[in-house]
Amino acid sequence: GAGVSQTPSNKVTEKGKYVELRCDPISGHTALYWYRQSLGQGPEFLIYFQGTGAADDSGLPNDRFFAVRPEGSVSTLKIQRTERGDSAVYLCASSPRGGEQFFGPGTRLTVL
Amino acid sequence: QKEVEQDPGPLSVPEGAIVSLNCTYSNSAFQYFMWYRQYSRKGPELLMYTYSSGNKEDGRFTAQVDKSSKYISLFIRDSQPSDSATYLCAMRAAAGNKLTFGGGTRVLVKP
C-alpha cells in the first residue's frame, strides 16, 4: 500500500521566489497536516486540514505561507517571497479522523 | 522554555544493550503520546502510540507514560545497529490534532 508521498523531494530556490510543495496523503485519510523541521530540531506544526477546510492554521508563521486542499485529498503548501529562514524540511502527514499520523519523506527546501 | 524537552544526545550504546529514552513536558492537557523513529533524510516513522498513563509493549519496544510527573519513556531491548536513528517523542491534547514534538535524541548502536 502506498504511503504519504511528497514532491519534489528537494527544492532549491532564490530569495524572493515563490514555491509550491505537494503532498499526496494515504488513500482514505481525511486529515492532513503540514509540519516544518529545521536542522537538528523536531517537526513544528504548521496547518491541519479536515477534508477540504483548514481546521487549524495556527502554526503558519506569517501571511507568506498558505496551504490548500481543494478536493479533500492532495494538498499544496505555497510560500511567497521566500526568505533564507524558510530553509527547512517540510513534512506532510495524514491520518484517519483523530487517529495516528503517518508522515511522508518530506521536501527539503533550500533558499539561497 | 519548550513545551516538550528531550535530550539531543548522541546516546551511544553497544549492540544488545537496552536503550533508554525520555521526554518531559509541561502542558497537562497532553493525553496522547507517541514515539517516532527518524532515519537521516527520511520522514518520521511511528513506533508507539499510547493514551494517558501506563505501559505499552510491542516487540522490543516498551513505552511508559507517567502523567503525574509529566514524563514519558521509551525502552529498546536487544538494540541493533539498525536502531541507530533519531527518536522523537510527540504528544497532543485530547481536543486537538496537532502534534508537539521534542527535539529528538540521536541514538548510535555500535556493533
Side-chain angles (χ1 to χ4, degrees):
Chain A
V4 177
S5 62
Q6 293 186 245
T7 53
S9 55
N10 285 281
K11 176 71 176 178
V12 180
T13 191
E14 294 179 343
K15 180 176 179 293
K17 299 289 188 182
Y18 168 83
V19 296
E20 289 189 351
L21 312 179
R22 176 188 167 107
C23 173
D24 266 286
I26 293 171
S27 178
H29 281 188
T30 57
L32 185 146
Y33 312 78
W34 284 97
Y35 292 82
R36 178 167 70 174
Q37 187 174 25
S38 299
L39 191 64
Q41 305 294 317
E44 292 183 323
F45 171 79
L46 295 176
I47 187 169
Y48 153 60
F49 288 90
Q50 183 60 244
T52 60
D56 182 353
D57 64 358
S58 62
L60 295 178
N62 51 60
D63 61 5
R64 296 187 297 105
F65 288 75
F66 190 71
V68 295
R69 195 186 185 200
E71 297 178 355
S73 179
V74 170
S75 176
T76 304
L77 179 66
K78 309 181 181 194
I79 310 174
Q80 298 177 323
R81 304 183 303 280
T82 52
E83 300 178 356
R84 291 193 180 88
D86 298 335
S87 296
V89 176
Y90 289 82
L91 294 163
C92 177
S94 70
S95 74
R97 189 183 182 97
E100 303 164 12
Q101 295 182 27
F102 297 89
F103 282 80
T107 293
R108 184 173 299 272
L109 176 66
T110 302
V111 182
L112 301 177
Chain B
Q1 189 171 356
K2 294 182 179 179
E3 275 191 294
V4 181
E5 296 281 357
Q6 188 175 4
D7 189 317
L11 178 62
S12 182
V13 300
E15 183 176 355
I18 295 175
V19 176
S20 175
L21 304 165
N22 60 77
C23 289
T24 59
Y25 63 95
S26 56
N27 189 344
S28 58
F30 290 143
Q31 296 283 342
Y32 295 87
F33 305 91
M34 286 131 274
W35 286 95
Y36 286 84
R37 177 175 63 195
Q38 187 173 30
Y39 291 114
S40 181
R41 294 186 171 261
K42 302 289 185 182
E45 172 194 6
L46 182 65
L47 290 176
M48 300 290 281
Y49 183 96
T50 56
Y51 170 70
S52 197
S53 285
N55 294 358
K56 183 176 182 179
E57 188 172 319
D58 184 359
R60 296 186 296 115
F61 300 94
T62 299
Q64 293 182 348
V65 175
D66 181 348
K67 288 188 65 183
S68 63
S69 302
K70 296 188 177 65
Y71 186 90
I72 69 170
S73 302
L74 178 71
F75 301 96
I76 308 173
R77 290 183 298 280
D78 188 25
S79 58
Q80 305 296 311
S82 59
D83 294 325
S84 298
T86 295
Y87 290 79
L88 297 157
C89 64
M91 45 200 81
R92 70 171 179 89
N97 288 278
K98 67 180 184 182
L99 297 181
T100 301
F101 282 85
T105 299
R106 193 157 69 95
V107 172
L108 301 172
V109 181
K110 297 186 175 180

